[in-house]
Every structure is written in structure tokens, then in C-alpha cells.
Amino acid sequence: MSRPKPCEAVKVVVRCRPFNRREETMDNDNILEVNSELGQITLRNPRASPEELMKSFTFDAVYDFESKQSDIYDDTVRPLVDSVLQGFNGTIFAYGQTGTGKTYTMLGMPTDNERGIIPNSFNHIFTQISRSQNQQYLVRASYLEIYREEVRDLLCKDKKLDLKENPDSGVYVKDLSSVVTKNVMELEHVMNIGDESRSVGFTNMNERSSRSHAIFMITVECSEKGADGEDHIRVGKLNMVDLAGSERQSKTGAKGERLKEATKINLSLSALGNVISALVDGKSTHIPYRDSKLTRLLQDSLGGNAKTVMVATLGPASKHYEESLTTLRYANRAKNIKNKPKINEDPKDALLREFQEEIARLKAQLEERGMLAKERRRRRRNSRRLTKSMIVEDVAHRERDAELWKALEAEWKQNEEYYIKEEDESKVKEEEEKGISRFNSVDNSVEGSPKTTVTSRIPIHRFSSVEDSPKKAFPTSTHSSPGAREKWKPFGEKEQMEKERMMDDMQKEQEAMEKIIEKYKAMESKILAGGKNIIDHTNEQQKMLELKKQEIAEQIRREREIQQQVMAQDEETGELRETFSSLQQEVDLKTKKLKRLYAKLQLVKAEIGDVIDEHVVTRQELEQTQNELTRELKFKYLLIENFIPPKEKNKIMNRLHFDSEEDQWRYRPFLPSESKSAHQVKRRPTSVVGYKRPISQYAQMAVTTGAPSRYRAENVMFLELDMSPPSMYNLNLNGAHLEQAFGGPGSPRRDLLANVPFRDRTTVSRRVRKSRSW
Ligand code: ADP
Ligand code: MG
């Protein structure tokens, strides 16, 4: 394996998928020409004239229609996963238009030779671990999706997550579930669970697959003894990303939806493009990682501490020429990103360290328990001997009561103390068991750090009442009668009880031990160690075979690089080596070269034109989006200015602040002093002495002058009731329409109508005739 370089370019490979059935029937032309040996791909414009030069791009590797999944894995991904096992961060992302084979490349099909990068990496990781020696590994996996700028945990249904940043580990997803896995099957299970939740999304949301980014994360922690004799932990993180379709979102959807599409769905991809441009530019001081969740999450993979592989996928059909060209240009730019990968050694958040410490503590606990059990057994033996001797003595002196009872009482006291101790011990045990159950929870919540056990001895609990005490089971001197039978009965019960209690204790002890052992074994089984199969001959041979394969792949890669360099040099220095026998020959050759260079110039010019056109289109789209956003903003302003009282508006504005971490406006919480006063009910102003309620100055004056009544004085309006007769209407009852309106001939309403008095319509007037301000 080549030694890690301090600076390493993003590796970009291109994969072309074969024609699909629909494209075949539609008689599409193949516009791609792939030269796998040179790592070159040529794109033909279906609408260009035949003499126009084709566009050529060179990449680290190019895979044609016939390429197999294993080719990509062995050639491109294997070295990256090996680096992850050494403690580097690694990222692979598939970029391309929808339907060009991103998911096929990343996940593939369930059949053996069609498995994609993700499942192939499972086999690779566990095979390598099984072959390792003197190393301990912990492998865990997470699966998430970014859709409309929301991060969703695919292993925990409908859990929306936030991104957080931490100075040590960089950007991470808060509360993302991760599963500790022991073998390939478990990792596959995790992958299937995640895929299922993704596919549930597909049916609910139209075309979700092409618009969400899925990230499968595997964290491999490896512990090994260093030269200093200490255990050192290396942590490698592998991100495998199936990006959303890179095609331009159509601009003809519904308004609200369209706006969201423009601002959110494509945001991640355009942000990714901007980040790549800024990184490649070299002059940019600001890299816009924070513009989208995807770029924030992949911050390390783009220009940071990671080794990155980008797989650009293409379709061969002529109708996708524009999109294919955009993909190739995008990929071509990404080639120039420089990363600075380094081995992550002894990070603070290594789960393996926590597991190791937990196992050590459980081990110590088991040992301690062993000692404890021994001690308890010894004490019990002593106590039993004591009780037995007491009984024998008692049988011998059955008739002598007074003295005997005194002795017995003393013995009971002793027994009582013993029981108290037993009780205390069982309390301690209970506490310890509580500690164990807490460890068990670690098993489920893998990310949670294990808690410490309660090992300290709690203060001895005394019985609060006589009823509580075990003495209740014994005959007390007041209860006891000197009768022999009655005397012996309690002893039998006592012994029985003691036995039962002992059995109970032992069982509890056993259960607690079993729990600890179970937990210990479960935790230990999660830590993987290799070296067991190393003696296996076939395994050894397989390892050699793989090494050879890897060497060959490395060799091919190097050859390709050299060929690419030679080609580039040839063009520049070719003429230096040429000798001309005659002037004419020189002229001919130079004319040829001039033609070639001219064609190249035209190509570059065309390229510039294309890029300008593309920029114009992008700018127009951005302007359109901006216009719509402005329109929306104006609408919101209108609502605020006209329908929210300025005082309220100011209050809200003062409380709002922008949370850049979550890219959201948030309400500032009430300050404690403020909130205290907010909870307090405002007191009513005190009334003027002598009045039941507050009263206006005018009313006070009125009361003192004694003119109007109190209520009238307080009224601002003067309402004088008009006592004229109520308004009347004339009803013309001979019309047939009334019959229709009030039902048929048998309807009871007819009689009712007959009694309705005629009313005069002319006396319509207001009931309240006068209303004037006081
Ligand atoms: P994407 O995820 O980019 O939208 P898919 O991976 O779903 O595209 O691929 C679309 C279709 O093309 C699938 O039916 C897939 O099986 C097929 N396909 C893609 N790439 C290949 C390939 N290299 N060989 C064979 N079939 C492929
Ligand atoms: Mg897909």
C-alpha cells in the first residue's frame, strides 16, 4: 500500500451505463466513447456538424458499459476502504443525472456479482478484520437521508435530526442512531432497514429517490498496542453517498412547490458545486460549506481530512447530451480539489475506549462479587452453627425456663442484628443490580456513554417500626409461653425462614452474576479481534491472491497515469524531436500542427461559449427564483404592516434571533426575571376609597354634584330608548309563491299564516332614535 501523502486530490472516476430497453427502442445514438486504458471519455454533440471536434475529458478511471461492479470496487474503492481501516476518513459519492446508475453503483442488486459498493465494503471490512492480528475492532453503522434540507434518520422512522459542530470531531448529526455490528449479515440488515424506510418515502413522495441524498456511514475503530506499550485507538469513518439526481429541476411546477424545489431540493447540489468551485478556484477565502446540510456534512470530504472518491455516472443516449456534458464538467472540476487526509488517532469520542473501560469494570465487578459471595457464605455458615448449638442446648434444658429465656432473648437480639445486616446487604445488592440494568441500557443505546456502577456501600438502613423488623417472626418474651411445643415451633419457622432467605439471596446473587456475565459477554462479543483464521491455509492463499490483485490494479493505475502524462507532454514537446529533410516538409508538418492547434482553439472557444451560456441560464434561473422570493416577501410585508399592530410587531422582532447553527429564526427564551414577572398576575388598581370599583374623574364629579345616577354618569354614550311601535311590513298573502314557500295544501303553516296580522311597511324606523355622545 502506498504511503499517505500529506495532500491528496479527490479521485474522480466515470461510469457509463448501457442503453436501457426504452432507449434502445427509441433508436437513440450512442454519444460516448470510452477509452478505459487512458481513462479518457469523449462526448459527441448529436447536433454538431461532423467536422466539429468531440469533447474529451480525462479522469482517474473510466468504466464503460461492460464494466462489472467488482471492477469498480477492486480498482477504485478497495484502496479507500483499506485506508479507512487504517484510521483515515473516506467518502465515496455517486453523482449524475437520475437513471444513470448512481443507486446501481452504490447499492446494486442482491445477486452476488451485482452487489454495489456499499455491500461489497461490508465483506471487505470484516475480511480484513478477521485477518488482523493483535488488534481489536468496533464497527458501527448509521444511515441517513437529506431531503428538502431536512436530515432524516433512516434507522429510526421519522426522526428529524439537526447538525451540530464540535471542535474535536467537526460537523456531526446530533442523536443519529448508530448500530454496533459484528458481522456482514448485521451490516446488511442495517442497510436493508434503511432502504425500506427510504422506499416508504418513495411511495409517499413523488420521485423522492431522485431528490434525496442518502448517506450510509460506517465507523471503524481499531485499538492496537503502540510502541509505548499503551493501547492506541484509530478511528476511520466511511461515508457512502448516493446523491440526488443532478438534472436541472423543471421550472414549470406549481408555484409554492416550485419555489421549494428551487430553494431547497437543488440547494444542496448547487451548494456542492459552489463548494467545489471555491475549492478549485484557489483565490476564494470563503468556502460556502454552510450553505447546505449536505456540504456541511461532507465538509471534511471536500478539501478536508478525508480521502474522497467521486463516481460520476452517465447514460449513453444522445437525448441526455446536455446533462452528460454538465456531469463531466462538474466531475472535471472536482478532480482539482485537494484534501489533507490524516489518521485519526485517539479521538476523545472513541466508543471502543468506552467499551474497553466498561468491560474492564464489569470484569472487576465480577471478581468483587465472587469475593463477596465467598464472604457471605462464610458468615452464613457461622450463623447456622450458632443457631444449631443453641437449639441443642435448649433441648437439654427444656425445663429450666427463666434463665433459658434470657439466653434466648440474647440470641434473638443477635439474630436480629444478623437480619439487619442481611437486609443491608440485599439493599447494596439491589443498588448494584440497578447499576447492572443501567449497563444493559448501554447495549441498546449504543451511542450513549456507559454509566458508572453504584459500588459504594450505602448507609445501613434501620427498621423504623417494630412491625417492619424481622423480629416479628420470632417469639418475644411477652408473647412467649413456657410451653415446650410453642417454644420450639418458632425455631422451626425461623430456620425455615432463614433457609428460604438464604436461598433467595443466593438466587438473587446468581441472577445478578448472570446478568453481569451476560452483559460482559455481549460487550466483549461486539469488540472484534482477528487472527483466528490466520492459520487457515485457504484464507492465507486468498489473502495473497487479493494482494496480488491489488498490486495489479495499482500497476494499471500507474500505467494510466504515466500514459496520460506522456500524452500531455507529447503535445507540448513533440516538435522538438522532429527533424525536417526539406523546407516543404517542415511547412507541411507545421501547417498540420497549426490546423490541429486551431481546431483545439476552436474547441476551447466553444467550451467558453458553452460555459457562458450555462452561466446565463443559471443566472436567469436565479433571477427568476429571486423574483419569486421578492414577491413572496412583499406579500408577507403587506400582511405584517397592515394586520399586525406595530407594538406587537416590535415585540416579536425584539424576541427573534437567527440561529445560524440550525439556519432558522428562533424565539429568544424569556429571561428568568422577565418570565417571573410574566407569570405574575397583574393586580387591579386600587379603587378610590369608598367606591367599589375604579371610577373616572368625571363620574366622581357627577357623584359629588349628585346629578345623574352612578351608572348613567359613567356611560359615555347617551342611549334613549325609542318607544314608538315596532317596524311593520305588509305581507301580500294572495301570491302563489307563499304556498311554495310554506309547504303544500295540507301544511300546518297555512293556518299559521292566516293569523299573521298585516303590518304597515311605511313605519320603518330605527328602534334607537337618538344616540349622541355625552
Ligand atoms: P439513479 O440512481 O442514478 O437514478 P439507478 O441506479 O436507479 O439510477 O439506475 C437506473 C436503471 O439503470 C436501473 O434499472 C439499473 O438497474 C440500471 N443500471 C444502471 N447502471 C447500470 C449498469 N452499469 N449496468 C446495468 N444496469 C444498470
Ligand atoms: Mg437512485
Side-chain angles (χ1 to χ4, degrees):
M1 175 117 335
S2 60
R3 282 199 58 197
K5 292 164 239 161
C7 219
E8 197 180 285
V10 168
K11 207 171 177 184
V12 182
V13 302
V14 173
R15 187 183 199 186
C16 311
R17 72 154 166 77
F19 276 109
N20 61 29
R21 234 175 269 153
R22 195 150 38 95
E23 286 165 347
E24 267 170 1
T25 52
M26 279 168 72
D27 201 20
N28 263 297
D29 273 352
N30 178 10
I31 52 162
L32 299 174
E33 247 175 54
V34 177
N35 184 340
S36 302
E37 272 128 57
L38 268 180
Q40 206 174 52
I41 186 160
T42 312
L43 194 71
R44 182 176 56 80
N45 184 354
R47 284 181 292 279
S49 55
E51 63 267 19
E52 194 181 302
L53 273 179
M54 296 203 282
K55 291 186 169 65
S56 240
F57 297 87
T58 311
F59 296 100
D60 290 288
V62 176
Y63 300 94
D64 61 13
F65 324 114
E66 284 157 4
S67 63
K68 292 198 266 333
Q69 298 277 41
S70 58
D71 293 342
I72 292 205
Y73 194 85
D74 290 336
D75 191 22
T76 304
V77 187
R78 194 172 281 279
L80 184 86
V81 176
D82 278 328
S83 303
V84 170
L85 286 161
Q86 285 169 18
F88 287 99
N89 292 339
T91 301
I92 308 156
F93 57 91
Y95 178 93
Q97 196 191 343
T98 300
T100 48
K102 294 183 298 297
T103 309
Y104 180 82
T105 304
M106 295 310 291
L107 288 171
M109 304 284 179
T111 48
D112 252 5
N113 45 10
E114 275 198 291
R115 285 154 62 92
I117 289 173
I118 297 177
N120 276 335
S121 73
F122 302 164
N123 275 328
H124 180 188
I125 288 170
F126 283 104
T127 313
Q128 291 301 97
I129 289 175
S130 75
R131 283 173 187 165
S132 67
Q133 275 179 316
N134 306 323
Q135 285 172 338
Q136 286 189 321
Y137 284 90
L138 188 78
V139 180
R140 58 199 155 110
S142 307
Y143 206 175
L144 64 90
E145 175 185 60
I146 305 176
Y147 182 66
R148 288 193 174 182
E149 282 307 280
E150 268 175 12
V151 182
R152 261 188 68 223
D153 192 342
L154 288 175
L155 302 180
C156 190
K157 262 187 191 165
D158 290 329
K159 202 165 125 190
K160 284 180 191 152
L161 306 164
D162 288 324
L163 297 186
K164 293 271 171 226
E165 201 159 355
N166 152 333
D168 296 320
S169 51
V171 180
Y172 67 100
V173 185
K174 193 172 169 254
D175 298 330
L176 176 69
S177 34
S178 79
V179 183
V180 176
T181 50
K182 289 179 285 192
N183 49 42
V184 176
M185 251 165 53
E186 285 185 8
L187 267 179
E188 275 174 357
H189 189 61
V190 171
M191 181 181 78
N192 292 338
I193 290 174
D195 282 340
E196 255 168 46
S197 350
R198 250 200 125 184
S199 51
V200 168
F202 294 172
T203 47
N204 292 346
M205 224 83 73
N206 193 23
E207 283 194 299
R208 183 171 187 139
S209 77
S210 59
R211 290 168 190 199
S212 75
H213 313 284
I215 308 182
F216 193 93
M217 295 172 168
I218 304 179
T219 310
V220 184
E221 297 185 7
C222 168
S223 159
E224 195 178 12
K225 257 201 177 37
D228 54 0
E230 294 277 307
D231 270 343
H232 288 285
I233 292 182
R234 297 188 305 259
V235 180
K237 282 185 191 143
L238 178 63
N239 295 321
M240 291 177 278
V241 192
D242 183 5
L243 289 175
S246 62
E247 64 275 6
R248 255 177 232 289
Q249 302 292 330
S250 105
K251 295 275 163 190
T252 50
K255 195 184 157 205
E257 277 303 294
R258 204 205 68 72
L259 199 67
K260 275 182 200 149
E261 304 254 294
T263 53
K264 293 223 165 146
I265 294 174
N266 247 359
L267 187 118
S268 284
L269 276 177
S270 55
L272 185 67
N274 294 342
V275 165
I276 293 175
S277 300
L279 283 167
V280 173
D281 183 23
K283 284 179 235 146
S284 314
T285 47
H286 169 70
I287 313 292
Y289 291 116
R290 296 185 84 89
D291 282 2
S292 81
K293 296 245 159 91
L294 179 76
T295 44
R296 277 196 80 192
L297 211 53
L298 295 182
Q299 186 163 340
D300 259 346
S301 316
L302 300 159
N305 170 23
K307 294 184 172 215
T308 304
V309 171
M310 174 176 172
V311 184
T313 55
L314 296 176
S318 53
K319 67 170 179 178
H320 298 313
Y321 168 76
E322 268 84 23
E323 288 297 346
S324 299
L325 185 61
T326 315
T327 303
L328 286 172
R329 283 199 184 121
Y330 203 93
N332 204 36
R333 265 190 302 164
K335 267 190 336 192
N336 302 316
I337 300 175
K338 296 273 186 292
N339 283 353
K340 297 170 226 56
K342 66 172 174 52
I343 292 177
N344 306 309
E345 209 154 5
D346 291 323
K348 279 187 198 139
D349 57 349
L351 196 64
L352 184 56
R353 174 86 68 220
E354 282 178 20
F355 266 55
Q356 281 173 338
E357 283 168 8
E358 188 61 39
I359 287 169
R361 202 165 42 235
L362 285 172
K363 221 173 176 177
Q365 219 187 348
L366 274 176
E367 274 166 18
E368 196 191 312
R369 269 183 178 273
M371 302 281 282
L372 210 75
K374 254 189 213 164
E375 172 66 19
R376 200 165 296 164
R377 272 199 296 278
R378 194 183 59 78
R379 232 188 287 165
R380 268 192 210 124
R381 269 202 302 274
N382 286 349
S383 147
R384 227 175 299 158
R385 229 178 286 142
L386 205 68
T387 321
K388 262 186 194 158
S389 66
M390 192 182 76
I391 294 166
V392 171
E393 204 180 287
D394 207 81
V395 170
H397 306 283
R398 210 181 281 189
E399 309 308 334
R400 275 184 260 154
D401 0 17
E403 259 182 71
L404 171 94
W405 280 110
K406 253 184 208 166
L408 278 179
E409 263 174 32
E411 196 52 50
W412 286 332
K413 239 181 211 152
Q414 217 174 334
N415 271 322
E416 183 189 326
E417 263 168 37
Y418 167 68
Y419 273 92
I420 290 169
K421 262 188 212 155
E422 283 281 296
E423 178 80 16
D424 293 335
E425 273 170 13
S426 68
K427 280 254 170 338
V428 171
K429 205 161 59 194
E430 257 174 47
E431 283 296 319
E432 281 168 353
E433 273 165 16
K434 264 181 217 162
I436 295 159
S437 63
R438 244 181 283 174
F439 290 143
N440 284 339
S441 69
V442 175
D443 216 10
N444 304 330
S445 60
V446 193
E447 285 285 65
S449 61
K451 308 280 184 312
T452 48
T453 16
V454 182
T455 46
S456 60
R457 295 275 173 262
I458 50 161
I460 292 172
H461 164 76
R462 293 279 156 205
F463 298 109
S464 51
S465 70
V466 185
E467 253 57 34
D468 289 345
S469 93
K471 201 176 164 187
K472 209 174 123 193
F474 306 138
T476 56
S477 51
T478 45
H479 292 157
S480 66
S481 75
R485 237 168 238 282
E486 275 136 345
K487 256 191 273 167
W488 290 116
K489 201 179 158 203
F491 271 116
E493 271 178 16
K494 191 181 83 180
E495 234 188 356
Q496 187 65 27
M497 265 189 57
E498 198 186 332
K499 260 187 196 161
E500 271 172 19
R501 198 179 270 263
M502 270 173 6
M503 290 298 284
D504 222 34
D505 277 357
M506 269 164 69
Q507 209 171 339
K508 273 187 194 162
E509 177 81 13
Q510 188 73 21
E511 275 169 17
M513 288 274 266
E514 271 166 17
K515 263 186 199 169
I516 297 180
I517 292 169
E518 205 177 287
K519 172 76 198 156
Y520 173 77
K521 278 186 182 161
M523 289 197 90
E524 212 180 37
S525 74
K526 280 182 179 155
I527 293 185
L528 311 166
K532 287 168 199 154
N533 301 335
I534 208 82
I535 23 161
D536 193 336
H537 186 60
T538 44
N539 196 21
E540 186 73 5
Q541 274 185 332
Q542 226 169 7
K543 194 178 157 194
M544 291 300 291
L545 197 72
E546 269 172 31
L547 270 174
K548 283 271 173 272
K549 256 195 204 170
Q550 223 168 301
E551 270 172 29
I552 292 169
E554 182 80 16
Q555 192 73 29
I556 292 173
R557 249 197 318 273
R558 238 174 287 145
E559 263 175 38
R560 197 160 46 220
E561 263 175 43
I562 291 167
Q563 265 189 330
Q564 284 174 1
Q565 279 169 8
V566 167
M567 241 177 46
Q569 273 176 359
D570 256 8
E571 278 184 11
E572 283 170 21
T573 56
E575 82 262 26
L576 294 179
R577 280 180 271 118
E578 280 165 12
T579 46
F580 309 105
S581 52
S582 68
L583 212 60
Q584 186 56 40
Q585 197 193 2
E586 192 178 346
V587 169
D588 285 348
L589 275 169
K590 290 213 164 153
T591 321
K592 236 192 233 170
K593 196 183 168 206
L594 193 68
K595 270 187 186 161
R596 211 174 60 227
L597 286 176
Y598 184 74
K600 229 174 161 183
L601 179 72
Q602 294 308 314
L603 202 69
V604 173
K605 273 188 179 165
E607 187 80 16
I608 292 169
D610 280 357
V611 173
I612 289 171
D613 286 351
E614 206 179 304
H615 278 184
V616 168
V617 173
T618 318
R619 206 187 61 211
Q620 278 170 354
E621 280 176 4
L622 285 173
E623 274 170 3
Q624 202 184 335
T625 312
Q626 191 198 359
N627 284 344
E628 280 189 35
L629 285 171
T630 316
R631 205 179 308 157
E632 188 116 329
L633 194 68
K634 279 182 181 165
F635 174 66
K636 298 267 158 74
Y637 262 128
L638 182 98
L639 287 183
I640 293 168
E641 297 303 329
N642 294 293
F643 296 96
I644 301 181
K647 218 170 122 189
E648 291 302 316
K649 188 188 85 183
N650 288 342
K651 249 194 252 172
I652 296 169
M653 299 278 262
N654 288 339
R655 269 191 67 197
L656 282 175
H657 75 109
F658 190 73
D659 185 350
S660 53
E661 194 57 38
E662 287 173 30
D663 197 26
Q664 290 283 356
W665 283 96
R666 300 227 169 271
Y667 268 119
R668 217 186 294 277
F670 274 123
L671 291 173
S673 58
E674 260 183 277
S675 59
K676 223 187 240 173
S677 61
H679 287 300
Q680 273 173 3
V681 182
K682 279 207 172 130
R683 290 192 57 192
R684 258 180 85 172
T686 46
S687 310
V688 179
V689 186
Y691 294 108
K692 280 186 184 165
R693 55 190 174 122
I695 191 165
S696 68
Q697 206 183 354
Y698 177 82
Q700 273 181 45
M701 291 243 310
V703 169
T704 46
T705 51
S709 78
R710 186 171 154 235
Y711 300 108
R712 207 169 148 188
E714 282 176 35
N715 278 340
V716 181
M717 303 281 284
F718 179 75
L719 299 170
E720 192 182 295
L721 278 180
D722 179 11
M723 299 314 287
S724 58
S727 321
M728 281 188 234
Y729 296 90
N730 258 341
L731 275 176
N732 188 358
L733 280 181
N734 49 15
H737 63 279
L738 278 170
E739 287 213 0
Q740 272 173 13
F742 291 96
S747 163
R749 296 253 169 175
R750 273 179 77 85
D751 321 21
L752 205 79
L753 272 175
N755 297 332
V756 174
F758 285 94
R759 293 183 177 187
D760 191 5
R761 202 181 181 171
T762 50
T763 55
V764 179
S765 65
R766 272 176 292 165
R767 282 173 77 90
V768 177
R769 204 174 50 188
K770 212 155 92 189
S771 166
R772 69 180 162 89
S773 201
W774 190 271

